[in-house]
């Protein structure tokens, strides 16, 4: 199922009041749900010493959410200077932060190594000489190429721009050792929104096989392997939830086997974004127009600047209409925003209850890669973010963008140059 019945039961009765107070549209996140998922993750992996989740900041880069993650003992996976700043603002430093960039710039390396440093996860062997100060611990992102198949969001590893190729891996670690690295990690990220836990078990097996191979060749031990994120959530009512406990059980067995064979075992890191927060957020919008042409259209007060996934991936987001049960009178509609792009649709040819102007629509599972993917094309502004706290209070955790924000980059010191050539 999409949004949990627990979140629905707590949110829906107070939604008209929240909408009246804050105005629509807004994303609203569920602190209790996020904490429950965090606890479930920790309990599932309780038998694996040193297991740690590094929350993928890009999924929901809001400091109030990140404070909740930090309170649960999680680290952060960052891939830009701004994400590093966010992580440090909530008090994460050093090994609490993993920097997994690709096509990394000199400025990003400096941002990663200044202000308390972090675990550096390198995307390519050519980046080694560009690391300003070689850290004691180095990690490489591994791309298995034809050895594995990926999935639809992240693509086939052979075509993916990420990571070090299989045949370069030994050289990469040897070269890092020659530059002073003494501790080692191994990372991969092959799938996104994967609902089949067995795929993830295979990924961990692959990492352990590679760690054993590289370890033997170079006489080193791996401090950790990082299986990436990509755990899926059930966006569609008919989707089966990801079997987290089965993943943890089988993976724990793999580490025990590794330990028996090699006399030690690395720690397991994970960097889930979607699984942690995806189901615990919804986008609440108001129907403002109905239009009947060749199809029926419901116009709402948000556009794809608030949620890109349907337009970008054809992603399904479940929609409920507040106060109108799914088994009542219905109509097949497109739910659309106001952007001048025909893919600005939250739902296409979806059977929904009869919607009237003023109805509140709850677009579900927007807690990861939702607000964060927003943009400003066509002068569309991103909505506010709210948090339904544990104590029942509703807190504004990001204000809505304003026209002044949109125009801010047009205020600058005048500057011009006259090129000497031409
Ligand atoms: C996006 C990303 C993640 C998180 O992916 P989810 O599907 O949200 O779990 C983790 N690691 C890396 C390197 C990423 O790019």
């Amino acid at each position: 199922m999409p949004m949990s019945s627990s979140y629905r039961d707590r949110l829906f009765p107070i939604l008209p009041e929240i909408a009246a107070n804050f105005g629509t549209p807004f994303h609203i996140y569920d602190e209790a749900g996020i904490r429950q998922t965090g606890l479930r993750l920790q309990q599932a992996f309780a038998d694996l010493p040193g297991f740690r989740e590094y929350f993928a900041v890009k999924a929901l880069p809001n400091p109030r959410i990140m404070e909740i993650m930090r309170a649960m003992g999680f680290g952060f996976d960052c891939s830009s200077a701004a994400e590093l700043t966010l992580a440090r603002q909530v008090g994460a430093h050093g090994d609490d932060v993993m920097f997994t960039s690709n096509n990394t710039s000199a400025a990003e390396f400096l941002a990663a190594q200044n202000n308390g440093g972090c675990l550096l996860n390198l995307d390519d062997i050519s980046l080694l000489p560009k690391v300003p100060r070689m850290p004691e611990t180095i990690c490489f992102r591994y791309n298995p190429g034809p050895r594995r198949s990926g999935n639809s969001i992240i693509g086939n590893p052979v075509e993916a721009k990420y990571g070090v190729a299989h045949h370069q891996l030994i050289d990469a670690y040897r070269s890092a050792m020659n530059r002073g690295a003494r501790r080692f990690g191994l990372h991969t990220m092959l799938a996104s929104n994967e609902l089949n836990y067995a795929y993830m078990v295979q990924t961990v097996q692959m990492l352990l096989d590679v760690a054993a191979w590289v370890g033997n060749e170079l006489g080193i031990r791996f401090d950790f392997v990082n299986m990436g994120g990509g755990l899926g959530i059930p966006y569609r009512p008919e989707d089966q939830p990801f079997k987290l406990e089965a993943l943890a059980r089988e993976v724990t067995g793999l580490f025990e086997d590794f330990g028996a064979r090699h006399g030690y075992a690395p720690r397991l890191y994970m960097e889930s974004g979607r699984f942690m927060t995806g189901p615990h957020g919804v986008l609440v919008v108001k129907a403002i127009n109905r239009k009947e042409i060749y199809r029926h259209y419901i116009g709402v007060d948000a556009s794809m600047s608030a949620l890109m996934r349907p337009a970008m991936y054809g992603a399904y987001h479940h929609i409920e209409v507040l106060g109108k049960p799914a088994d009542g009178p219905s109509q097949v509609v497109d739910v659309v925003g106001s952007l001048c792009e025909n893919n600005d649709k939250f739902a296409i040819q979806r059977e929904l209850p009869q919607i009237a102007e003023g109805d509140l629509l709850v677009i579900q599972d927007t807690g990861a890669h939702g607000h964060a993917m927003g943009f400003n094309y066509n002068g569309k502004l991103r909505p506010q973010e709210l948090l339904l706290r544990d104590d029942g209070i509703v807190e504004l955790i990001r204000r809505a963008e304003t026209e002044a924000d949109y125009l801010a980059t047009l205020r600058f010191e005048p500057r011009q140059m006259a090129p000497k050539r031409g």
Side-chain angles (χ1 to χ4, degrees):
M1 271 308 287
M3 128 186 243
S4 73
S5 54
S6 152
Y7 189 26
R8 180 185 295 98
D9 291 349
R10 283 177 289 121
L11 181 68
F12 281 19
I14 56 175
L15 212 41
E17 232 182 310
I18 300 172
N21 189 291
F22 289 96
T24 53
F26 53 82
H27 289 269
I28 182 164
Y29 310 115
D30 178 25
E31 177 175 10
I34 293 171
R35 285 186 188 278
Q36 252 168 35
T37 296
L39 198 63
R40 188 180 156 209
L41 191 67
Q42 284 169 333
Q43 283 171 348
F45 285 96
D47 292 335
L48 201 54
F51 170 81
R52 196 174 191 195
E53 151 78 355
Y54 284 76
F55 176 63
V57 172
K58 78 169 189 280
L60 185 42
N62 188 296
R64 285 292 283 116
I65 303 295
M66 293 168 67
E67 281 167 13
I68 298 171
M69 299 297 170
R70 184 150 168 76
M72 293 191 291
F74 297 156
F76 298 103
D77 184 64
C78 301
S79 48
S80 66
E83 288 181 358
L84 286 165
T85 301
L86 277 174
R88 283 160 184 157
Q89 276 179 2
V90 299
H93 293 283
D95 287 2
D96 295 333
V97 180
M98 184 112 181
F99 188 60
T100 302
S101 56
N102 67 90
N103 183 24
T104 313
S105 68
E108 283 173 329
F109 276 128
L110 284 175
Q113 295 205 296
N114 290 342
N115 306 309
C118 64
L119 287 172
L120 209 52
N121 185 18
L122 293 182
D123 189 66
D124 192 47
I125 189 168
S126 68
L127 294 171
L128 263 179
K130 298 182 177 177
V131 176
R133 278 168 282 123
M134 195 60 199
E136 200 185 65
T137 307
I138 200 76
C139 182
F140 284 101
R141 180 171 182 161
Y142 172 61
N143 180 334
R147 286 171 173 76
R148 286 300 292 285
S149 54
N151 76 356
S152 61
I153 292 190
I154 249 185
N156 179 354
V158 174
E159 294 164 9
K161 67 171 176 169
Y162 309 109
V164 179
H166 189 83
H167 66 274
Q168 302 168 323
L169 207 55
I170 298 283
D171 275 353
Y173 285 99
R174 184 184 290 121
S175 185
M177 289 167 78
N178 292 340
R179 290 168 189 276
R182 291 291 166 261
R183 303 164 80 86
F184 306 94
L186 174 67
H187 169 272
T188 202
M189 168 86 189
L190 297 180
S192 186
N193 195 33
E194 179 62 62
L195 281 169
N196 177 9
Y197 85 92
Y199 184 90
M200 296 294 173
V201 175
Q202 288 163 17
T203 295
V204 173
Q205 179 69 66
M206 175 195 80
L207 285 173
L208 290 176
D209 289 347
V210 169
W213 165 56
V214 175
N216 269 339
E217 289 286 323
L218 299 176
I220 59 174
R221 290 182 164 196
F222 278 85
D223 262 31
F224 64 88
V225 297
N226 182 335
M227 63 183 284
L231 277 62
I233 60 169
Y235 284 99
R236 293 174 183 271
E238 67 271 22
D239 285 346
Q240 292 301 311
F242 186 91
K243 296 194 171 82
L244 181 71
E245 286 71 20
L247 170 76
R249 198 178 333 108
E250 291 187 29
V251 159
T252 300
L254 296 183
F255 277 77
E256 284 164 4
D257 290 351
F258 188 100
R261 225 172 304 137
H262 300 277
Y264 87 102
R267 291 187 295 275
L268 177 67
Y269 293 166
M270 175 188 277
E271 44 188 45
S272 271
R274 188 186 322 270
F275 190 81
M276 290 302 306
T277 57
H280 308 304
V282 296
L283 171 62
V284 178
V285 301
K286 186 182 284 174
I288 56 169
N289 288 298
R290 286 188 53 104
K291 174 172 178 173
E292 321 284 344
I293 48 171
Y294 308 105
R295 285 181 176 180
H296 303 292
Y297 292 94
I298 304 296
V300 300
D301 59 359
S303 64
M304 64 196 267
S305 59
L307 180 67
M308 281 274 282
R309 298 189 69 259
M312 196 147 154
Y313 310 117
Y316 178 95
H317 282 266
H318 197 62
I319 297 179
E320 285 179 84
V321 184
L322 194 70
K324 296 192 172 172
D327 53 8
S330 69
Q331 186 176 33
V332 174
V333 297
D334 283 12
V335 177
V336 302
S338 60
L339 210 139
C340 300
E341 281 287 347
N342 196 41
N343 61 356
D344 179 25
K345 297 181 175 183
F346 294 109
I348 297 173
Q349 294 297 281
R350 178 93 54 95
E351 185 171 353
L352 288 175
Q354 288 275 355
I355 295 170
E357 280 179 29
D359 279 351
L360 292 178
L361 274 62
V362 182
I363 305 175
Q364 305 187 5
D365 303 306
T366 68
H369 314 293
H371 185 285
M373 246 190 219
F375 64 112
N376 284 139
Y377 181 54
N378 215 181
K380 300 301 175 187
L381 306 174
R382 279 164 288 205
Q384 59 197 327
E385 294 180 291
L386 309 178
L387 178 66
L388 175 58
R389 291 191 334 212
D390 263 353
D391 62 4
I393 302 289
V394 177
E395 179 185 335
L396 180 71
I397 60 171
R398 186 193 299 273
R399 66 164 172 80
E401 258 178 341
T402 63
E403 211 172 286
D405 295 328
Y406 178 73
L407 299 172
T409 48
L410 297 172
R411 282 197 305 275
F412 50 86
E413 288 299 310
R415 174 176 172 180
Q416 32 184 293
M417 73 170 288
K420 294 192 183 67
R421 304 222 268 175

